[in-house]
Amino acid sequence: MAYSPINSLSSVSASRGLAADAQSLGALKLEAGTNSQSAIKETAKQFESLFMRELIKSMREATMKSGMLDSPGGDLGADLLDQQLAVHMSGQPGGLGDIIAAQLSQQMVPKNKDLTPPNVKAADNLHPQTRAVSAPSARSGAKAPTEIQTQFVQKHAQAAREVERKSGLPAGFMLGQAGHETGWGKHEIKRADGTASHNLFGIKAGAGWTGKTAEVTTTEYINGAPQKRVARFRAYDSYADAFKDYARMINESPRYAKAREQTGSAHAYASGLQKAGYATDPDYATKLSRAIDTTLAIQRVQV
């Protein structure tokens, strides 16, 4: 039987689908909706086939023709052969198709793949509020709030909201900074007799402070190097007083004017405080903005 490009091409189309065939591509699109690895691999082959076909076509057009034997039928046969050749050349190991498939795999996640991070699964025994906020935090790439963080925010939420109404400072920002300064309540400043200072923001007692004080050893960064120093901090009668004093300082002190204007962004606010000299830690803005983000995630669940 004489060789027929059309017959041969039909067999290729039936077995693998023709790269230039719109119907085949439509069927492939439907299969790709399953996000299966086989669909990704076949899609990559088809893209490679289309590329190879255009490459062969360009090479053929660049070849000088005599014009004596040219005809529409001959051009059609040549085009069909080019398509068949492109299909046969695609899908080779280590070829362009493998590169395309790798790119597609990164963008397409199988529907049946369990994306729940291990730490979220293990959170079933935690506080209900902690479990609720774990999933969205994990999807955003941030660590899920812990039970201690959630309980700290819940404990001081009312005081923070009351100060927010009077001062305009976001309660989430204040709670996040209080959490960062105290290690979410684990490292609160104590007075000499062991009683609580209620100082949640690490505000020092300067020369103008006439209230109670607490002296503790703290870490200060001198020229970027951490050093231990004994410092005097303000002490309050309640945590509510600590929030009020913090808001008063931020709103009334000229040094924090720029930070006060940037409460629309946790990172901008934290950077403003660091530039104003709120803390000597060179990474203070990064740590603080992360703590604020954690607090805001907890608040979104509690609303």
Side-chain angles (χ1 to χ4, degrees), residues 262-275:
Q262 302 182 83
T263 53
S265 166
H267 181 72
Y269 181 75
S271 297
L273 290 182
Q274 180 171 330
K275 291 177 182 178

Side-chain angles (χ1 to χ4, degrees), residues 24 41 60 84 131 136 149 176 181 235 241 244 258 290:
S24 296
K41 185 176 181 180
R60 188 178 293 280
Q84 182 184 21
R131 293 202 301 270
Q149 292 171 329
E181 292 288 344
D241 288 343
K244 293 175 184 177
K258 289 186 177 180
R290 187 161 53 237

Side-chain angles (χ1 to χ4, degrees), residues 120-239:
V120 175
K121 293 180 181 178
D124 290 339
N125 294 325
L126 299 182
H127 189 278
Q129 294 287 3
T130 305
R131 293 202 301 270
V133 78
S134 293
S137 297
R139 284 197 297 269
S140 66
K143 291 184 178 180
T146 65
E147 183 177 13
I148 292 177
Q149 292 171 329
T150 302
Q151 290 179 345
F152 180 89
V153 172
Q154 291 174 333
K155 178 180 179 179
H156 301 290
Q158 183 176 351
R161 284 195 296 266
E162 291 178 358
V163 172
E164 177 184 34
R165 285 193 291 268
K166 297 179 180 179
S167 68
L169 295 178
F173 285 26
M174 291 186 286
L175 288 168
Q177 189 165 9
H180 171 65
E181 292 288 344
T182 64
W184 303 98
K186 293 185 296 183
H187 308 296
E188 291 186 23
I189 297 173
K190 301 290 185 180
R191 301 179 66 187
D193 59 1
T195 58
S197 70
H198 299 106
N199 188 336
L200 297 174
F201 298 93
I203 302 177
K204 293 181 179 179
W209 178 253
T210 58
K212 301 175 182 178
T213 61
E215 290 190 0
V216 296
T217 301
T218 183
T219 301
E220 300 287 349
Y221 286 81
I222 310 299
N223 296 323
Q227 296 183 16
K228 295 293 184 179
R229 297 287 179 87
V230 176
R232 293 174 65 247
F233 292 86
R234 299 181 184 184
Y236 309 97
D237 292 330
S238 67
Y239 291 121

